[in-house]
Amino acid sequence: MKLLAVLLQAGLSQAGLRFACSQVSIQRLDPIVEPGRVPSTHVHQIVGGNAFNASMAGDIGEQASCTTCAYTEDLSNYWTAVMYFKHENGSYKRVPQYPNAQLGTEGKDAPNIQGGMTVYYTQKDFNNNGKSFIRAFPPGFRMTTGSPSANTLDAAKGHPGLRYTCLQTVLTRGSETPDFPAKPCPAGIMAIHHFPACWDGKNLDSPDHQSHMYSTIKGGFQEAGACPSSHPVRVPQVAYETMWDTSVFKDMWPKDGKQPFVWSFEGNGYGTHADYLFGWKGDSLQRAMNSTCMFHACGSPGVQGVLKTQTVEEMNKCAVKSTVVEETDGWLRELPGHMAPMAFKA
Ligand SMILES: *[C@@H]1O[C@H](CO)[C@@H](O)[C@H](O)[C@H]1NC(C)=O
Ligand SMILES: *[C@@H]1O[C@H](CO)[C@@H](O)[C@H](O)[C@H]1NC(C)=O
Ligand SMILES: *[C@@H]1O[C@H](CO)[C@@H](O)[C@H](O)[C@H]1NC(C)=O
């Protein structure tokens, strides 16, 4: 009987996805907060489907033809600001990104994931996929989390899902801070963005791109609280991890000891934020959420699970032709768009 109860519980539980996406684009576009504006106010690093552009409407799952993510049916776009190193001499250089060590390795001679992010769709917490019904997002759905205008430690502390980890090694986890780590981090800085997982069940977006959602996040990958009656629909808990290789600047640390990193909106660490634009094909995300797989068992590059996967080589082939053509990479005298007024709020 005990075994049967366990099996029944297992039968009710839902999937947890954790997968890598290579970079699809780095440019100044923001189809959620500044739709149609070319260029947008600050540089973003974007992963996912190749339908990414200044304006994005309708069912993205029907518009994109490839994705840089491990799951071929995931044509969504995921993006954050870009981290820059600010040299004592006033010049900026983009901090390179590197992939999570545990995803996408297919042997030492195989191509590696290019930059990008790790994306999560969990239900309960990191280790357990729970057993309540998780409704996939509908086509056209979008949201943001955090705010580039947050500029105090208290504001940053008020967002338990938005944190940094100072990486001692590529595998360091835990010990999260609401601001950029104050000291050099041997393996770089991991930026963590958790989105709210309670939806009002009606609106695909809202004027501030956030009020159609409600966050019950407690921090880390701890189990979130119950959804309130204003936002009763539990949707997947989406989270991003971005690994920024700040170690390449270790010999240029400023003499005054202050940490030298800024976000692309000339922001300190408090204003960290992220954007999500749903684009899974058909009912593929619901199919995954209805299954019982966890992480690698759902499929990983080249290994089929409940979701169709592709190899790292195929992930890396998907690209978006930049609409905004400007230097974002070399040593820059100012951040791209920094001279433009900060005309947006998020
Ligand atoms: C992106 O949109 C611009 C107009 O804003 C258009 O000229 C361009 O072709 C689009 N790019 C793609 C890849 O669809
Ligand atoms: C600042 O230092 C970097 C690294 O040495 C150098 O490449 C860049 O040209 C310098 N910028 C200025 C304005 O001197
Ligand atoms: C997911 O599960 C729900 C509830 O059991 C069911 O109504 C729906 O058809 C399922 N969807 C898919 C795509 O499996």
Side-chain angles (χ1 to χ4, degrees), residues 14 133-134 283-291:
Q14 321 290 319
F133 181 68
I134 301 296
D283 64 3
S284 53
L285 180 59
Q286 190 66 65
R287 192 175 77 230
M289 289 292 116
N290 280 14
S291 83

Side-chain angles (χ1 to χ4, degrees), residues 39-57:
S40 67
T41 48
H42 61 261
V43 184
H44 289 126
Q45 60 91 13
I46 304 117
V47 305
N50 66 344
F52 184 80
N53 206 344
S55 300
M56 296 176 71

Side-chain angles (χ1 to χ4, degrees), residues 89-265:
N89 68 18
S91 293
Y92 298 87
K93 187 141 180 28
R94 180 162 65 80
V95 179
Q97 287 160 252
Y98 73 104
N100 190 302
Q102 291 172 315
L103 297 170
T105 28
E106 296 175 317
K108 75 176 171 57
D109 297 324
N112 211 344
I113 288 162
Q114 281 161 18
M117 295 194 267
T118 304
V119 176
Y120 293 80
Y121 287 74
T122 56
Q123 182 202 138
K124 195 165 176 286
D125 55 32
F126 189 83
N127 296 307
N128 188 324
N129 50 19
K131 54 182 180 342
S132 62
F133 181 68
I134 301 296
R135 176 144 160 215
F137 305 100
F141 179 88
R142 55 202 60 196
M143 62 180 162
T144 67
T145 186
S147 166
S149 59
N151 58 8
T152 65
L153 184 58
D154 278 347
K157 282 183 180 161
H159 280 288
L162 308 182
R163 291 291 180 265
Y164 302 97
T165 296
C166 183
L167 300 170
Q168 303 305 311
T169 75
V170 61
L171 292 176
T172 306
R173 292 297 181 272
S175 49
E176 298 178 350
T177 57
D179 194 13
F180 286 142
K183 295 212 168 85
C185 300
I189 296 173
M190 181 167 74
I192 306 151
H193 295 100
H194 283 86
F195 286 79
C198 299
W199 179 41
D200 70 9
K202 297 184 196 101
N203 296 297
L204 299 177
D205 193 3
S206 47
D208 64 359
H209 315 293
Q210 300 193 347
S211 50
H212 57 317
M213 300 299 290
Y214 189 93
S215 177
T216 59
I217 292 161
K218 296 188 178 127
F221 279 91
Q222 292 177 71
E223 185 175 357
C227 288
S229 58
S230 58
H231 297 74
V233 182
R234 177 70 70 182
V235 289
Q237 167 67 72
V238 175
Y240 308 164
E241 285 174 351
T242 316
M243 318 276 281
W244 297 96
D245 190 5
T246 53
S247 71
V248 298
F249 302 104
K250 67 180 189 311
D251 298 328
M252 293 179 229
W253 199 267
K255 286 187 248 349
D256 67 7
K258 289 208 181 104
Q259 72 78 22
F261 301 102
V262 293
W263 285 117
S264 46
F265 47 92

